[in-house]
Amino acid sequence: MTASQRREQLLAVSRGLFAEKGFDGTSVEEIAQRAEVSKPVVYEHFGGKEGVYAVVVDREIQALTAALTGALTSRGHPKVLLERASLALLTYIENSEDGFRILVRDSPVAQATGTFSSLIGDVATQVATLLRAQFRDRGLDPRYAALYAQMLVGSVALTGQYWLDARRPPKTEVAAHLVNLAWNGLSHLERRPELHETPGAGR
């Protein structure tokens, strides 16, 4: 096995272990044992567990970023772009289950910091740009586009986490329902939304 082949083997083995046990639950000894090499081989290629993990996460982030960015920067109506982005995330989960588990286990959607949260923030920024134009066209205040983008992207990401284990209904149906909620809700936005009850009222 060449050095390049050995490196790829170690990455594949580590990816499976990180998905199964998380970063803290995985040891260099386990990686070496499953790859049928000695511990020094792992250290030689990556310098330790942290080095392997960094490469694994970086590859997953690049793959997911490319899929989502490609969907959001292509031509088409904003509703179609939302459909493509939702489907792109679900397709990534379907094809890279271990990778998605690694991303959300150590940096879940609900967490304010972390690699996955940073990615979600980047995607939300792209979505906000699309929404500002829609808000202006509909007479809505474009200053709130970034807030709505966070809502939309967050709901898609959380749904993706749910679908990772449920796998029902099929991804095309999940994407269609996501867009149904997001788009049909957006198409009937109130210009100045207010709560029907003031918090604390009636106590």
Side-chain angles (χ1 to χ4, degrees), residues 3 17 19 25-26 36 39-40 74-75 81 85 88 102 122 152 156 166 172-173 181 190 194 202:
L17 283 169
T26 301
E36 299 182 345
K39 288 169 60 177
S74 57
R75 293 179 177 273
L81 299 185
I102 291 168
D122 291 343
L152 281 172
V156 172
T172 51
E173 288 186 31
L181 173 62
E190 298 175 352
E194 294 182 358

Side-chain angles (χ1 to χ4, degrees), residues 22-87:
F23 176 78
D24 292 332
T26 301
S27 67
V28 171
E29 185 175 0
E30 284 180 294
I31 295 171
Q33 185 176 12
R34 191 168 290 190
E36 299 182 345
V37 298
S38 62
K39 288 169 60 177
V41 173
V42 180
Y43 287 111
E44 179 186 343
H45 282 275
F46 299 101
K49 183 175 71 170
E50 292 79 5
V52 188
Y53 184 77
V55 175
V56 169
V57 169
D58 184 61
R59 285 189 174 189
E60 296 304 325
I61 287 293
Q62 286 186 30
L64 184 51
T65 300
L68 293 174
T69 301
L72 290 170
T73 56
S74 57
R75 293 179 177 273
H77 189 277
K79 181 180 180 182
V80 175
L81 299 185
L82 185 57
E83 290 176 354
R84 291 174 184 166
S86 299
L87 198 56

Side-chain angles (χ1 to χ4, degrees), residues 6-14 31 35 37 41-42 45-46:
R6 178 65 72 192
R7 178 183 172 84
E8 292 303 316
Q9 181 216 16
L10 290 171
L11 285 170
V13 166
S14 301
I31 295 171
V37 298
V41 173
V42 180
H45 282 275
F46 299 101

Side-chain angles (χ1 to χ4, degrees), residues 8-200:
E8 292 303 316
Q9 181 216 16
L10 290 171
L11 285 170
V13 166
S14 301
R15 186 173 179 268
L17 283 169
F18 289 138
E20 179 185 339
K21 300 184 175 185
F23 176 78
D24 292 332
T26 301
S27 67
V28 171
E29 185 175 0
E30 284 180 294
I31 295 171
Q33 185 176 12
R34 191 168 290 190
E36 299 182 345
V37 298
S38 62
K39 288 169 60 177
V41 173
V42 180
Y43 287 111
E44 179 186 343
H45 282 275
F46 299 101
K49 183 175 71 170
E50 292 79 5
V52 188
Y53 184 77
V55 175
V56 169
V57 169
D58 184 61
R59 285 189 174 189
E60 296 304 325
I61 287 293
Q62 286 186 30
L64 184 51
T65 300
L68 293 174
T69 301
L72 290 170
T73 56
S74 57
R75 293 179 177 273
H77 189 277
K79 181 180 180 182
V80 175
L81 299 185
L82 185 57
E83 290 176 354
R84 291 174 184 166
S86 299
L87 198 56
L89 174 64
L90 295 172
T91 299
Y92 167 79
I93 293 172
E94 183 177 60
N95 297 334
S96 306
E97 181 176 323
D98 283 352
F100 190 70
R101 285 189 189 282
I102 291 168
L103 294 179
V104 299
R105 169 181 276 128
D106 295 320
S107 180
V109 175
Q111 188 171 300
T113 59
T115 308
F116 188 64
S117 299
S118 298
L119 171 62
I120 293 302
D122 291 343
V123 173
T125 299
Q126 294 184 55
V127 172
T129 301
L130 295 173
L131 290 185
R132 284 190 191 94
Q134 289 294 306
F135 273 40
R136 292 190 186 96
D137 290 346
R138 297 169 187 270
L140 301 170
D141 191 338
R143 292 179 300 172
Y144 294 103
L147 176 63
Y148 279 88
Q150 291 286 342
M151 296 177 195
L152 281 172
V153 174
S155 67
V156 172
L158 284 170
T159 302
Q161 282 188 249
Y162 165 80
W163 190 74
L164 174 64
D165 293 316
R167 292 305 174 96
R168 291 183 181 179
K171 67 178 180 182
T172 51
E173 288 186 31
V174 176
H177 282 286
L178 275 168
V179 176
N180 183 40
L181 173 62
W183 189 258
N184 289 326
L186 285 171
S187 65
H188 295 95
L189 286 181
E190 298 175 352
R191 292 190 179 187
R192 298 182 181 277
E194 294 182 358
L195 298 179
H196 290 92
E197 277 190 26
T198 303

